[in-house]
Amino acid sequence: MIRYLKGVVARKEEGSFLLLVGGVGFQVQAPSPFLQGLREGVEVGVHTHLALREEGLFLFGFPDEESLKLFELLLSVSGVGPKVALALLSALPPRLLAQALAEGDLRLLTSASGVGKRLAERLALELKGKVPKDLLTGEKVESREAEEAILALAALGFKEGQARSVVLDLLAKNPKAKAQELIKEALKRLR
């Protein structure tokens, strides 16, 4: 089983990239946020899942173990294949996806391409209580602006765990963001 590769990104394509490792090229399918951050000619480490299907071997790559764990957890649900699992990981940051699965948030789950209400309900039912605790632990927010944004989103009716996940993700990208900016961007993601 191939669980991790480190190599140079040779070429990016729609939904995948070619990773050169010691003279061997691996075609790796990945979630779109991860693909967007890759640059050709740059070395990258990838956590991988190797799938054997009738059509051949397929390699799926992720930037961190959290995403890989979620991908494999999603594949454990009947009717969920790699395409749907990648769509979910492309639509939602890992911690927000974990929170949505744990809380059975159908609105967030159906925001991914190819996930309808029935599939979202099946995901919520079959994965209830199975989402690893380390994916659900809330990170401490050091920014007062972020805390204000989380409280405002909770007051608007969003679950605190979801609001926290989205705000933390936004804060990681822009540590100096003001509460108003965080709320505005978070609302775009949560709707």
Side-chain angles (χ1 to χ4, degrees):
M1 180 69 80
I2 300 171
R3 296 301 283 174
Y4 184 83
L5 291 171
K6 189 172 188 177
V8 176
V9 177
R11 181 177 63 240
K12 286 172 49 173
E13 298 173 2
E14 181 78 26
S16 68
F17 64 99
L18 181 65
L19 184 69
L20 289 179
V21 180
V24 178
F26 292 90
Q27 191 70 34
V28 183
Q29 296 179 47
S32 55
F34 180 46
L35 282 171
Q36 290 169 357
L38 295 176
R39 291 192 328 245
E40 291 180 6
V42 175
E43 186 175 65
V44 65
V46 183
H47 296 271
T48 60
H49 174 88
L50 182 63
L52 174 62
R53 307 188 72 79
E54 283 184 25
E55 308 86 40
L57 294 171
F58 295 90
L59 195 60
F60 300 91
F62 306 92
D64 50 51
E65 287 187 58
E66 289 178 340
S67 300
L68 175 61
K69 280 184 193 176
L70 278 171
F71 180 77
E72 292 175 339
L73 184 66
L74 290 165
L75 292 180
S76 72
V77 176
S78 62
V80 175
K83 185 176 179 181
V84 170
L86 281 178
L88 281 161
L89 284 161
S90 293
L92 301 167
R95 291 201 184 259
L96 182 58
L97 176 56
Q99 197 76 39
L101 291 168
E103 295 176 358
D105 189 329
L106 303 182
R107 185 178 50 78
L108 274 177
L109 294 173
T110 56
S111 69
S113 174
V115 179
K117 186 179 178 192
R118 284 190 182 169
L119 181 55
E121 288 171 346
R122 188 173 335 124
L123 285 165
L125 179 66
E126 289 190 33
L127 297 179
K128 186 175 184 167
K130 293 183 181 178
V131 178
K133 300 280 186 246
D134 60 320
L135 295 177
L136 296 173
T137 56
E139 299 173 35
K140 287 195 171 186
V141 179
E142 296 176 20
S143 165
R144 199 167 138 212
E145 299 288 336
E147 280 298 342
E148 286 179 31
I150 292 166
L151 290 172
L153 291 166
L156 290 171
F158 295 99
K159 293 179 181 168
E160 187 179 341
Q162 294 171 341
R164 185 171 299 279
S165 294
V166 171
V167 169
L168 288 174
D169 189 53
L170 292 169
L171 198 60
K173 293 175 183 163
N174 184 5
K176 297 185 181 197
K178 299 287 181 201
Q180 194 171 11
E181 293 173 64
L182 292 169
I183 293 166
K184 185 178 177 181
E185 290 302 312
L187 285 172
K188 289 178 186 176
R189 288 192 185 184
L190 290 168
R191 290 198 170 151

